[in-house]
Amino acid sequence: MAKSKHIYVCRNCGAQSAQWIGRCTSCGQWNTYEEEVLKKEKAAVKWQNPDAPKTTNKALLIHEVPSGFEKRFETEDKEFNRVLGGGIVPGSIVLLGGEPGIGKSTLMLQVALQQTAMKILYVSGEESATQIRMRAARLGMTQAPHLYLLAETDMEAIFRQAHSLQPDLLVIDSVQTLQSDLLESAMGSISQIRECAGAMQRFAKATMTPVFLIGHITKDGTLAGPKLLEHMVDTVVQFEGDRNSGYRILRSIKNRYGSTSELGIYEMQQAGLREVSNPSEILLSQRDESLSGITVSATIEGVRPLLVEVQALVGNAAYGTPQRTANGFDLRRMNMLLAVLEKRLGFRMGTKDVFVNIAGGLKVNEPATDLAIISAILSSNEDVAIPQEVCFAAETGLSGEIRPVVRVENRISEAEKLGFKRIYLSRYNMKGLDPSRFGIEIVPVGTLEEIYNALF
Ligand code: TYD
Ligand code: MG
């Protein structure tokens, strides 16, 4: 007779405890423990491939290990392939995370619909097959020769289907809706998610079928799962963006088969997601005249140079405490830059409201944006526009020095390609750089005063 057992599980990190505790000893979060009931002492959903021989692993010398050069499935979606590091690796398990409504289901369905050569099983625990069909119709595609839909939440039933269909790719929408009978805890609880994801992982490795798990993350992180799943899966990609702007960014956070910090950009349209192959063009606003407070930064996201527009607004604070807001940029870093401006250039920023915004809903966390942000703030403060054909790429230090950035050649070439006429860089970046190779004027600067004098 199976013994039922109560445990307490941290909603944030998945740590377990025999008793309820107020503060997680593992991750330090308060009030995150929830009671869970296990029906069996040790529940495990087994995925067994009946044909697989029983082997015990033996330690091998590295050169004896079969090289297993990964043959990847390339999807029709170039951005998607790139973010995954060049396509889908057989037997890999990928977590696609994002806030509800951001477009995860749309993205996966679209990728699945475009595939003609692969047999795909798309399991949805959130929508009925009819709803998915309607979505497909909205995407303009209801004909896909090898796409099977299954509205199911029960793990064992999904595995039965998978075993009879033998798909080349399994998509689970979403991991929070998976449920195993072996556990008594509710759907979406941590034990369920961990158990089901573990079973999916064993399935992926045993059958070499790639599995995509969709997972919801809410802003305050209350929904269980994705955080704890991150170390169970091979790859974590996140779909993000400002829901009001049409742009969505697919970002790889962890990748055992490729580089992280890769980026894919999409535009959400009436009929689905469209790949944006030249993102700089959409991130720069189309304007006819130069306005104050707007600059362009030559940044690098993943391996791609990206020109993004920085907007700043500086005004006199109407109330005692000045307001500081940064959208798409780290607020603490902005405050640091303001302190540098105050100390090194003598601007009285303490009485000013400062708002900084990165256009297009993009988030940049590269220090190379510093100079563009400082210049935008100065431009708004002085109410003097910076010419449109100028861009920036440098970090700013606490003493007001302009510091070099990595991969400066890529940034210069991208700026040149997009028609910029002048780029401001740190003079320490000039070593080994041949300015005559580029058709864009390169202006080296060393300190904040120099940039101020050059611009105003
Ligand atoms: P969805 O994929 O359901 O989000 P998730 O699975 O991440 O919860 O996306 C829902 C949003 O996408 C919804 O607000 C409407 C929008 N959308 C479009 O704008 N165009 C489309 O063709 C589709 C299918 C969705
Ligand atoms: Mg969905």
Side-chain angles (χ1 to χ4, degrees), residues 100-139:
I102 203 78
K104 301 178 295 297
S105 308
T106 308
L107 178 68
M108 281 320 297
L109 184 66
Q110 194 170 317
V111 168
L113 282 166
Q114 288 166 349
Q115 257 21 69
T116 44
M118 281 167 93
K119 195 197 268 182
I120 300 172
L121 176 57
Y122 188 106
V123 182
S124 180
E126 304 196 332
E127 290 161 285
S128 67
T130 322
Q131 271 175 310
I132 302 171
R133 204 201 132 100
M134 276 160 60
R135 187 194 294 262
R138 207 172 150 189
L139 298 176

Side-chain angles (χ1 to χ4, degrees), residues 208-342:
M208 292 311 275
T209 311
V211 177
F212 275 77
L213 301 175
I214 293 180
H216 298 295
I217 310 169
T218 54
K219 271 226 168 75
D220 53 345
T222 44
L223 211 59
K227 266 269 162 284
L228 150 169
L229 288 173
E230 276 179 22
H231 39 255
M232 296 180 76
V233 300
D234 295 318
T235 302
V236 181
V237 289
Q238 192 153 320
F239 208 34
E240 56 190 41
D242 184 6
R243 224 175 300 172
N244 303 324
S245 87
Y247 298 112
R248 299 283 185 276
I249 294 152
L250 188 67
R251 197 189 282 278
S252 128
I253 298 174
K254 159 183 172 177
N255 197 348
R256 287 185 182 150
Y257 306 107
S259 102
T260 55
S261 73
E262 261 308 352
L263 201 80
I265 300 190
Y266 294 89
E267 187 182 355
M268 181 64 95
Q269 294 184 330
Q270 277 299 318
L273 292 156
R274 182 182 69 88
E275 297 170 42
V276 177
S277 44
N278 188 359
S280 291
E281 274 173 13
I282 56 140
L283 293 170
L284 302 174
S285 66
Q286 316 298 324
R287 52 198 154 107
D288 296 330
E289 48 181 323
S290 302
L291 301 168
S292 72
I294 298 182
T295 57
V296 173
S297 174
T299 64
I300 300 259
E301 279 287 350
V303 293
R304 268 203 297 189
L306 205 61
L307 274 90
V308 298
E309 188 177 290
V310 177
Q311 304 167 342
L313 185 66
V314 179
N316 287 323
Y319 308 102
T321 321
Q323 295 189 59
R324 300 282 158 85
T325 312
N327 271 326
F329 187 72
D330 183 13
L331 183 61
R332 275 174 306 181
R333 187 142 191 115
M334 183 183 99
N335 282 331
M336 186 200 92
L337 296 177
L338 291 175
V340 174
L341 274 182
E342 177 134 11

